Amino acid sequence: MNKYLFLCIVALLISFSGCLDNGTGSSANSTVVDVQDLQQIDEALVSGPVLVDIGFASCPACKIMKPAIEEISQEYAEMATVMYIDTRENPGVAVAFDVYSVPDMFVIVNSSSEGYLYMTHEGDITRDRNIARFIGVTEKAVLTKTLDMAIASRQNE
């Protein structure tokens, strides 16, 4: 019960932090997929790794990351999926990933019966998302290197 209450409080804090929203997470011509539920991530994993970006439209650091995320989604369109979770529009999905700060990004390599498998920036695969997450403004090169390792890992399966 206490964990559930804690997660609800975190979701509320995330959804009410920052300035007022003035738009959606991604533009109309974007190749970034807006996530409504975890099933979308599961479906995308069938064809390759998934880079997940979690934030909200008026978050200053999220705004800084948006162009890099858009570029990655276009550059990796045939090899991986880039997805965006808006914490204000889908707080339940954000809570499922235990989000406490945005932007929060990670690469999912695959899934198993025990949950998602994440790629760390060092090239290790882990079930612990805390080890594999990128919080705050992150260099595009770090994200693409991690995504490249996830793609290579999937090809070697």
Side-chain angles (χ1 to χ4, degrees):
M1 178 71 175
N2 288 338
K3 183 176 181 180
Y4 177 75
L5 179 61
F6 173 75
L7 292 175
C8 289
I9 290 170
V10 169
L12 286 172
L13 289 172
I14 290 171
S15 65
F16 290 108
S17 62
C19 304
L20 296 175
D21 274 338
N22 58 5
T24 59
S26 58
S27 61
N29 62 355
S30 173
T31 56
V32 176
V33 177
D34 286 323
V35 175
Q36 308 302 314
D37 57 53
L38 294 177
Q39 183 177 349
Q40 287 177 276
I41 295 172
D42 296 339
E43 291 169 359
L45 280 170
V46 171
S47 59
V50 176
L51 169 62
V52 178
D53 175 26
I54 303 175
F56 59 91
S58 62
C59 158
C62 301
K63 287 180 182 180
I64 292 169
M65 288 304 305
K66 186 175 180 175
I69 297 297
E70 293 280 347
E71 288 173 14
I72 293 169
S73 73
Q74 292 170 3
E75 293 168 10
Y76 286 80
E78 301 298 318
M79 301 172 283
T81 305
V82 178
M83 305 185 102
Y84 177 76
I85 300 171
D86 187 306
T87 60
R88 293 188 172 173
E89 292 179 16
N90 297 295
V93 181
V95 167
F97 286 110
D98 194 27
V99 175
Y100 57 84
S101 181
V102 292
D104 186 335
M105 297 156 285
F106 49 92
V107 175
I108 304 173
V109 178
N110 217 331
S111 64
S112 71
S113 60
E114 298 176 24
Y116 292 124
L117 300 171
Y118 303 96
M119 179 63 68
T120 69
H121 71 281
E122 297 162 340
D124 298 319
I125 296 175
T126 181
R127 284 188 172 77
D128 185 354
R129 191 177 82 82
N130 289 317
I131 295 171
R133 71 192 336 169
F134 301 96
I135 296 176
V137 176
T138 304
E139 290 183 33
K140 178 184 171 187
V142 172
L143 296 173
T144 57
K145 177 183 174 194
T146 305
L147 200 48
D148 288 339
M149 289 184 291
I151 292 166
S153 173
R154 286 285 296 256
Q155 291 172 345
N156 291 333
E157 288 181 346

